[in-house]
Amino acid sequence: MFVLVNLKTYPCDPVAVAEAVRDVDDTTDARLAVAPAASHIERVAETGVETWAQHVDPIDHGSNTGHALAEHVADAGAAGTLVNHSEQRLKLADIDGAVRAADRADLETIVCANNPAQIGAAAALGPDAVAVEPPELIGTGTPVSQADPDVVENAVAAAADVDPDVSVLCGAGISTGDDVVAAGDLGAGGVLLASGVAKADDPKAALEDLVAPL
């Protein structure tokens, strides 16, 4: 299972969380990574943890003030990037462009989508993975695998129909090891989570609980 911790812009210490993710990663067969804010990527990557960006733009080098260039993200130490998170939505053409930009910089990609129909469209763009995240469940502590397990199963089927090589993750409300196990039982290859770790009083303990059943 792939567990990606998105730090968003929460008021946490990104290096401390990264060190927790790194240390727990050494104790489990699961693959753990962290996605800090863009300005923290280099500091987080220096801890040795697998580091992801939260976003890249569909641009090349040039006159693009305020944008996130895939090559800059990679140079800072990121191994991959999220695309089209529900808090950073893109049009379909721009999702395609962002995936192409990430490919150009040798970044792995996870394209986020709200529902199985969108998952099928996202998978057709050729990312490494897609993630189904119903936005109404984000930050609620109620996982999609519990609130509506059909969403996960149908997303897995939709991606497989388009490209069996594209893995499916699920997110929104993931906070416990049971949530991660349930996602796997429904066919997901990993999970996205944020507040359950980033806002925890003890991020390392929260992560240890998450991976203990795996």
Side-chain angles (χ1 to χ4, degrees):
M1 290 288 282
F2 183 30
V3 177
L4 179 58
V5 181
N6 180 7
L7 301 187
K8 305 191 177 186
T9 56
Y10 289 133
C12 60
D13 180 340
V15 172
V17 176
E19 290 171 342
V21 174
R22 177 201 63 199
D23 293 347
V24 175
D25 184 55
D26 289 338
T27 70
T28 178
D29 291 333
R31 174 188 175 192
L32 307 186
V34 61
S39 56
H40 297 154
I41 289 174
E42 187 167 3
R43 291 169 57 206
V44 165
E46 286 173 352
T47 69
V49 74
E50 182 176 335
T51 305
W52 280 57
Q54 297 177 8
H55 170 77
V56 297
D57 285 300
I59 59 169
D60 203 338
H61 291 277
S63 303
N64 302 295
T65 301
H67 288 73
L69 180 70
E71 283 82 359
H72 291 171
V73 166
D75 288 346
T81 184
L82 296 173
V83 176
N84 195 49
H85 190 276
S86 64
E87 296 159 359
Q88 182 64 283
R89 291 277 181 79
L90 299 173
K91 296 178 181 178
L92 186 62
D94 289 336
I95 298 171
D96 187 31
V99 170
R100 302 283 79 76
D103 286 347
R104 191 181 67 223
D106 293 324
L107 294 168
E108 286 188 56
T109 48
I110 298 173
V111 175
C112 301
N114 292 350
N115 55 56
Q118 292 181 12
I119 285 290
L125 301 177
D128 295 288
V130 291
V132 61
E133 284 196 305
E136 66 273 13
L137 296 178
I138 292 175
T140 65
T142 301
V144 62
S145 56
Q146 175 183 319
D148 194 348
D150 287 347
V151 167
V152 181
E153 291 184 319
N154 292 341
V156 170
D161 285 345
V162 174
D163 186 344
D165 292 330
V166 174
S167 62
V168 178
L169 289 74
C170 71
I174 304 293
S175 60
T176 70
D178 288 344
D179 297 340
V180 179
V181 170
D185 289 344
L186 293 169
V191 296
L192 303 182
L193 66 150
S195 58
V197 171
K199 297 173 73 174
D201 292 334
D202 186 341
K204 185 176 181 181
L207 279 164
E208 288 171 339
D209 288 344
L210 273 167
V211 302
L214 301 181

